[in-house]
Amino acid sequence: MTLTASHEPPQGLSLPPEWSYNDSANLYGVRDWGAEYFDVNTAGEAIVKVPSNGGSIEVPIIEVVEAMRLRGLEMPAVLRIENLLDHRITAINEAFKRAIENAGYQNEYRGVFPIKVNQQCHVVEEIADYGSRYHHGLEAGSKAELIIALTQLKDHKSLIICNGYKDAEFVELGLYARKMGINCVFVLETLGELDIIIERSKALNIEPAIGARIRLASMVEGHWNEDSGDRSIFGLSTDALLTVVDRLREHNLLHCMKMLHCHLGSQIPNIRNIRSGVLEACRYYAGLVAEGAEMGYIDLGGGLAVDYEGRRSNETHSMNYGLDEYCTNIIETLQESLDSEEIPHPVVITESGRALVAYSSMLLFNVLDVRDHKPGKLPENIPDEGHDLLHNLRAVLDSVTVTNLQECYNDALYYRDEVREQFHRGQATLRERAMAENIGLAILDKIAGLLPEAKRVSAELDDLPVLLADIYYGNFSLFQSLPDIWAIDQIFPVMPIHRLNEKPTRQAVLADITCDCDGKIDHFCYEGEIHRTIPLHTLNQDGEYYLGVFLVGAYQETLGDLHNLFGDTNVVSVHINEDGGFEFRKEFHGDSIADVLSYVEYEPKYMLEQFRRNAEQAVREGRINVAMRQEMLQAFRASLYGYTFFER
Ligand SMILES: *Cc1c(COP(=O)(O)O)cnc(C)c1O
């Protein structure tokens, strides 16, 4: 008897037979999360779009990948588009400018970039450079970051905001900066810092500029809601704030109190939380003015979200507002609240990190292998003397229809598990077990294929496409390049960067190459919903299949770690020119194996020497000849100084 199995992929999606680049764009939602920076061209390639003179310049990402390969920069790689960083700085500053003009607000906006969001030298350099025309400054949360800020900022109208716990050394550096004419502000996180600041300032005879970080009672939604509220670990209580005022007054330094600072949390998805936070901050600001503090600046921290899901909702990884709405809300709230108490409008500062840098970077990698869940080749027939259970399974396979899916599902699992039981007891052979598993899989596959036609399905059947999803092994380390997927279940947009005018026929989850069961991506947002699999193309024999994970410019690079000793990836920073060409402004080769070994205190030179000694020993013992020794040493050296990722 002949067995037939449906080799159609288990599809949760019913896609039309004709497929175009537009279908891919809609499927992967690129126009929703791409914020006009990403799209698909008619050739089915993912493109970067750089806004320019009312239009945009488009570059297919796959072309950059080709150009990288020619320069010896293999996958995986982080691709940074300088123009997007530039455009984000412009967008935020211009949006505040518009909001200020429209409202008639009587002061200006000053942004600062929090260095912790991406400390990479060339990113901070670019921000300092592109930001100088808006006097966009830097926020430092540690001595190391202050040192970065002091050396990168060239424009004295830009601010340096110092958050974090500050010791005497930190304070001295900041005071010297003020003496040099840099507008460096200490934000008090605790009362203890105040004594150090007063003491050092008197000793050096340099007056500080002081801000107070308050703990707002307004709570926000999203992952970072503990940055606000009474239990926030940051900021001063109202009582402590008044102690600060009193102490400054005692020391005749109340005129140094210039800023109110608050930070509601990162990635605030709901605009209403922002409005209520700003309102509360205004009341504190007014209170400090009434106490006689000089003031003049209000710093509203970070929190401007990125719509990673493209859903424009108040879900954690989305946002229910746009940039203009954010700015207008802040400016109008400040204005209304302060006008009612006849308080002059302060300079408005925000510390947007994520919204500034997320778009500019993407992680690119190739797919190394696929473990599909297609049933293997089924035998032409099952021998009559074959196991009864195999005949039963085959009968189930033949009987699957859209009306008996649950029944066939139950039977398939039952018979398959019976064969496994018998195998345990020595009553079925290895080949019989393999055949049972194979037919069982063919049944599940057939059921999954019919699910879209079924009227009502149980939860377990609903889950079937996920269980049958292919595993695509990507050449990257989640822990190194996308740590927030592991740490906080962050959603990032994922999309192939080519072949987008072909219909993706497989449902897949992505696994990285760390061989850690946490090293996987199995939550995706497309078609307005969270899915546990993503549609992808089958691999071609003759070419690489490249995927991109987008909007990864914020927080991912330095939070990443060396799990399984996969190191930093290659990084290129590309500038797109007006004519649509691009140039490699910066190239960084990722860590070599020697690099990562030395991070964990190995001495690569000594390791090479050790290996040489082993090889020499083998020569002496007559196991290998000298020529072979040389070959082995060369291979060892090539590995040691090569890339930590999979190399073709
Ligand atoms: C992390 C942080 C930011 C940046 O927040 P984003 O949400 O990335 O804009 C700003 N200010 C402070 C004090 C922070 O701790």
Side-chain angles (χ1 to χ4, degrees), residues 214-277:
I214 46 153
R215 213 147 66 199
L216 294 180
S218 310
M219 296 287 283
V220 300
E221 294 154 47
H223 181 85
W224 282 271
N225 59 10
E226 288 184 359
D227 278 355
S228 52
D230 283 340
R231 289 294 303 152
S232 159
I233 52 176
F234 301 107
L236 303 166
S237 66
T238 319
D239 187 52
L241 180 67
L242 288 173
T243 309
V244 169
V245 170
D246 293 342
R247 272 201 217 156
L248 285 173
R249 190 181 284 125
E250 274 166 36
H251 289 272
N252 276 325
L253 289 172
L254 200 50
H255 59 281
C256 296
M257 175 69 143
K258 297 202 156 102
M259 174 189 288
L260 182 89
H261 183 287
C262 62
H263 172 64
L264 284 165
S266 198
Q267 182 68 17
I268 301 173
N270 193 340
I271 187 76
R272 292 188 292 279
N273 297 157
I274 292 168
R275 199 185 260 278
S276 55

Side-chain angles (χ1 to χ4, degrees), residues 114 116-117 139 163 213 263 266-267 302-303 351-354 555:
K116 73 154 194 263
V117 182
E139 183 265 354
N163 290 318
R213 176 164 180 177
H263 172 64
S266 198
Q267 182 68 17
E351 304 176 346
S352 281
R354 181 187 300 279
Y555 298 105

Side-chain angles (χ1 to χ4, degrees), residues 174-205:
L175 288 171
Y176 287 139
R178 280 200 77 74
K179 195 78 185 170
M180 291 191 286
I182 298 170
N183 197 356
C184 181
V185 183
F186 297 128
V187 174
L188 295 175
E189 306 256 4
T190 64
L191 262 181
E193 287 171 323
L194 183 61
D195 296 333
I196 300 175
I197 293 172
I198 293 175
E199 194 274 322
R200 282 292 85 200
S201 140
K202 295 220 155 128
L204 299 178
N205 196 21

Side-chain angles (χ1 to χ4, degrees), residues 48 54 79 129 137 154 180 184-185 191 261 270 312 358 415 433 436 438 456 569 575 602 644:
V48 181
L79 169 60
D129 189 15
K154 280 140 202 124
M180 291 191 286
C184 181
V185 183
L191 262 181
H261 183 287
N270 193 340
R312 228 193 142 89
Y415 291 131
R433 176 174 174 157
N438 220 352
R456 250 191 287 144
T569 64
H575 186 87
Y602 291 92
T644 58

